[in-house]
Amino acid sequence: MVDYVEEVNIPPFAGTPSSQSRVLTTAVRLGVRPFTGRIKGRSATIRLWRSLLGAGSRCLRADPRVSVEPIIDPCVEDPNVERPVRGEWLRSPGCSPERGAILYLHGGGYAICSPRTHRVMTTRLAMDTDLPVLAPDYRLAPEHPFPAAFEDVLDAYRLLLARGFSSDRIIIAGDSSGGHLATALTAEACRTGLPVPAGVVLFSPWVDLTGELAMASVSSSRDPYIVPAVATRFGRLYVGKGDWADPRLSLLTCPSEELPPFLIQVGGIEVLRAEAEALAEVLDEAGSPYDLQVWPEQMHVFQIFNRLLPEADAAMREASRFIRRVLGTGSITEAA
């Protein structure tokens, strides 16, 4: 464990899961997993899931105090940005951009979801940290395979730099495939000489796109949501004709040095737990600072239920504390 911040206290819900958590996990296992297991990767099926998840996300109420500003920014200041950055800015009433910014990369297997589906997380981060949050609407597979999504988030990072945000005031965060993007983007900055962000926050990161780790650990997990075979299909959709050994894809075999501090949160029963632990091992071997938090009995990206589950609320607070400690901006704002 690292010593760049004071040691994190044991999360208040690290023991027996709450009754809300048990009910939700059971509901997802019975009501969602049977359907996710049938996703074959066909374009029509993916379009259907995009619609369903887009509609379902409206049931998770984002914080109404946070302003949401859609953007299409060509970023003419940086000639390396080849296409306009699309997405949205999220700002709390007490937003202090001089303190820094968060670049949030949404999950969804590189094929589904959007900044809108993840507003319950981005608005929470905006309120807890009082930092502006940029959530890019990156291109999705199968219409846009690798490196489309990576290029879009790299452009979004360049946009922040062009807008005057110093790299040591930028946090890159992401969940699931967004966690893969966040790690790949940070490592790319280290490899290419691009200014390196101050820190990285990963929620249930999808690290191994081949699906090998997930398939190997499926017998020991009780994941109520992710079917490893489906994750493997999504990985193939994104990689397409790309080289699986490309360092922007293969995070576990292409480690980088001089990475910033990482916070990795993962649910104890999700099938991607082994991937989060493998990434922590890579960071440890490279001598990079990190904090791995395994939240017992929690599912994949449980933090998205931060208005429903006490565990998710506590995890989001831990993430915001990490951000404020890395940036040196004091205690978190109390969320209502």
Side-chain angles (χ1 to χ4, degrees):
M1 194 59 63
V2 298
D3 59 0
Y4 65 96
V5 295
E6 62 182 279
E7 186 167 341
V8 176
N9 294 328
I10 297 175
F13 301 98
T16 304
S18 65
S19 57
Q20 299 98 309
S21 176
R22 291 195 296 269
V23 169
L24 182 62
T25 299
T26 300
V28 171
R29 179 177 287 115
L30 297 178
V32 177
R33 185 182 171 102
F35 297 97
T36 59
R38 297 176 183 176
I39 299 178
K40 302 300 182 183
R42 300 186 182 94
S43 295
T45 304
I46 289 175
R47 287 196 297 270
L48 174 61
W49 273 94
R50 288 174 184 169
S51 299
L52 291 175
L53 289 173
S57 67
R58 291 175 171 81
C59 298
L60 298 173
R61 186 170 65 93
D63 196 312
R65 296 171 293 180
V66 175
S67 66
V68 179
E69 176 193 353
I71 65 163
I72 303 177
D73 194 324
C75 191
V76 295
E77 301 88 342
D78 189 337
N80 292 303
V81 177
E82 298 182 355
R83 60 186 57 80
V85 175
R86 299 173 182 270
E88 56 189 37
W89 278 105
L90 301 103
R91 298 180 177 90
S92 70
C95 180
S96 301
E98 67 277 2
R99 295 183 177 183
I102 297 172
L103 177 62
Y104 192 89
L105 312 177
H106 71 80
Y110 279 112
I112 55 179
C113 294
S114 67
R116 173 183 286 276
T117 62
H118 283 64
R119 282 181 188 167
V120 70
M121 296 183 72
T122 52
T123 58
R124 175 63 186 266
L125 285 172
M127 281 301 302
D128 275 3
T129 65
D130 280 333
L131 298 175
V133 177
L134 174 61
D137 191 7
Y138 58 83
R139 288 169 291 170
L140 301 176
E143 299 92 336
H144 304 285
F146 174 80
F150 179 85
E151 291 175 343
D152 289 352
V153 301
L154 177 59
D155 285 347
Y157 185 58
R158 290 185 183 277
L159 173 65
L160 289 178
L161 296 173
R163 291 291 178 269
F165 290 101
S166 173
S167 63
D168 61 3
R169 310 303 302 170
I170 297 175
I171 298 292
I172 300 181
D175 66 277
S176 196
S177 57
H180 185 277
L181 276 173
T183 306
L185 175 58
T186 304
E188 181 77 355
C190 293
R191 284 190 296 271
T192 62
L194 195 67
V196 179
V200 181
V201 177
L202 306 180
F203 303 109
S204 299
W206 185 23
V207 176
D208 175 25
L209 300 187
T210 69
E212 293 179 0
L213 278 176
M215 293 297 291
S217 61
V218 66
S219 61
S220 60
S221 75
R222 293 178 287 114
D223 196 315
Y225 178 61
I226 294 181
V227 178
V230 175
T232 301
R233 292 177 200 141
F234 274 66
R236 291 170 180 165
L237 285 177
Y238 175 60
V239 176
K241 297 180 180 179
D243 182 359
W244 287 89
D246 190 304
R248 296 169 295 178
L249 295 170
S250 183
L251 304 183
L252 298 178
T253 58
C254 301
S256 298
E257 298 180 356
E258 301 181 358
L259 289 169
F262 273 65
L263 170 64
I264 307 171
Q265 291 184 347
V266 64
I269 60 174
E270 64 173 299
V271 75
L272 296 188
R273 172 178 174 173
E275 301 190 16
E277 293 171 335
L279 177 60
E281 291 178 3
V282 169
L283 294 172
D284 188 59
E285 292 174 0
S288 300
Y290 72 94
D291 182 11
L292 173 65
Q293 295 182 353
V294 180
W295 289 73
E297 300 299 315
Q298 299 307 308
M299 71 176 86
H300 183 63
V301 196
F302 65 97
Q303 298 89 344
I304 204 167
F305 299 105
N306 63 76
R307 286 183 170 269
L308 300 175
L309 304 182
E311 294 89 347
D313 175 73
M316 293 300 294
R317 289 180 182 276
E318 289 290 333
S320 295
R321 289 190 183 98
F322 169 87
I323 292 170
R324 287 186 173 268
R325 286 167 180 164
V326 168
L327 298 182
T329 55
S331 60
I332 70 169
T333 301
E334 291 298 319

